[in-house]
Amino acid sequence: MARVSYATSLMKRGVLISTTEHALSALMGAGIDNAILELDQLELPILDGSAKPFLEAIHRVGIKRQRRQRLYWRISRPVEITDGDKFLGVYPADGYSVAYTIDFPRPIGLQTFDLELTFGFLRDERALRNMGLIRGASEENAIVLSDTGVKNGPLRFPDEFVRHKILDLIGDLALLGHRILGRVVANRAGHAMHTALVSRLLRDHSLWEETQIPSEQPVFEPLEAAEPALSHG
């Protein structure tokens, strides 16, 4: 069960874990389908606000390839979700790609990226903390925006905000439990639309078909021998 607001939270057996999208996105980026994450709190740490610390931790541990070949969900027909001027769609394609457009008030404005960081408006801080979110947030791990500009720059990328939306999207789509083969197009979307797309795909099995990629050969090796680099999990 997933709940969304400014972040994605997962609930099972009465336990609610908040802000899961960055860790899930890191696992997807590292090619990992099978992992156990142990927490001692109800929100994943925000760290520096990106997926990089999670990826670094994955690389330190190493990645074990498994015998079983990965199953993908190949999108077989278009799926589109609209809400006013917000849009999210996924279309049949041979690979997995994302085109994301955002349009926030100044100082962000209009940004588009065809394929990753944390930002938030200073005026939203109190509401987020009242919701029990961003308890570990500070100016060291989040980009803080005032009405006049970036309060604690510099940015890592000029288009950092739309890159971060793609990071969120990849993490939210990980809730499918499978990697997709499809072209995702988003315009002013967010966590609510991301998870609405997940629900739609889980509910309607006619929208996708299971498939494998022949070039992916199942390999097994002991964890201690696995290279701490990106590989298929």
Side-chain angles (χ1 to χ4, degrees):
M1 176 182 179
R3 294 182 178 180
V4 296
S5 54
Y6 288 89
T8 300
S9 301
L10 301 179
M11 175 178 282
K12 187 173 183 179
R13 297 176 182 174
V15 177
L16 182 69
I17 303 297
S18 300
T19 319
T20 60
E21 60 272 17
H22 297 171
L24 290 174
S25 189
L27 290 169
M28 292 291 287
I32 295 173
D33 300 304
N34 189 358
I36 297 175
L37 277 65
E38 295 184 353
L39 305 177
D40 58 5
Q41 55 187 338
L42 298 181
E43 183 179 23
L44 270 76
I46 197 168
L47 303 175
D48 74 346
S50 76
K52 184 179 178 181
F54 293 109
L55 282 170
E56 291 172 342
I58 291 168
H59 294 169
R60 285 195 300 270
V61 172
I63 300 172
K64 176 182 176 180
R65 295 190 178 191
Q66 298 182 314
R67 295 180 185 274
R68 188 172 181 178
Q69 197 164 8
R70 190 184 345 255
L71 286 176
Y72 290 82
W73 284 7
R74 184 187 299 277
I75 301 301
S76 55
R77 54 193 181 93
V79 184
E80 296 180 341
I81 299 173
T82 59
D83 181 9
D85 61 355
K86 299 177 181 180
F87 174 84
L88 180 61
V90 60
Y91 305 92
D94 292 330
Y96 182 19
S97 63
V98 177
Y100 214 118
T101 299
I102 62 173
D103 190 6
F104 284 96
R106 293 185 61 188
I108 299 176
L110 181 69
Q111 293 185 2
T112 298
F113 196 71
D114 232 76
L115 193 109
E116 171 179 342
L117 270 156
T118 294
F119 65 90
F121 287 96
L122 189 60
R123 59 178 176 264
D124 294 333
E125 179 185 8
R126 183 179 297 277
L128 287 168
R129 293 194 186 277
N130 288 341
M131 293 164 62
L133 299 172
I134 67 166
R135 287 173 289 186
S138 69
E139 292 191 11
E140 283 68 51
N141 57 30
I143 297 169
V144 181
L145 303 173
S146 68
D147 292 331
T148 58
V150 176
K151 186 173 181 289
N152 62 331
L155 299 177
R156 283 172 276 194
F157 301 92
D159 54 1
E160 182 164 335
F161 305 103
V162 68
R163 287 170 179 255
H164 187 84
K165 282 293 187 180
I166 292 177
L167 178 70
D168 287 346
L169 172 67
I170 293 171
D172 289 340
L173 293 186
L175 300 176
L176 289 168
H178 291 77
R179 297 165 190 273
I180 67 168
L181 294 176
R183 170 72 167 170
V184 182
V185 179
N187 186 0
R188 300 173 176 85
H191 290 296
M193 294 194 81
H194 300 168
T195 54
L197 177 59
V198 168
S199 297
R200 180 86 175 271
L201 292 172
L202 288 173
R203 188 171 60 249
D204 189 346
H205 293 195
S206 71
L207 300 174
W208 48 268
E209 58 184 10
E210 284 191 347
T211 187
Q212 295 177 335
I213 296 179
S215 60
E216 285 193 337
Q217 298 299 322
V219 176
F220 174 81
E221 56 185 344
L223 181 59
E224 51 269 27
E227 291 294 328
L230 301 187
S231 61
H232 300 304

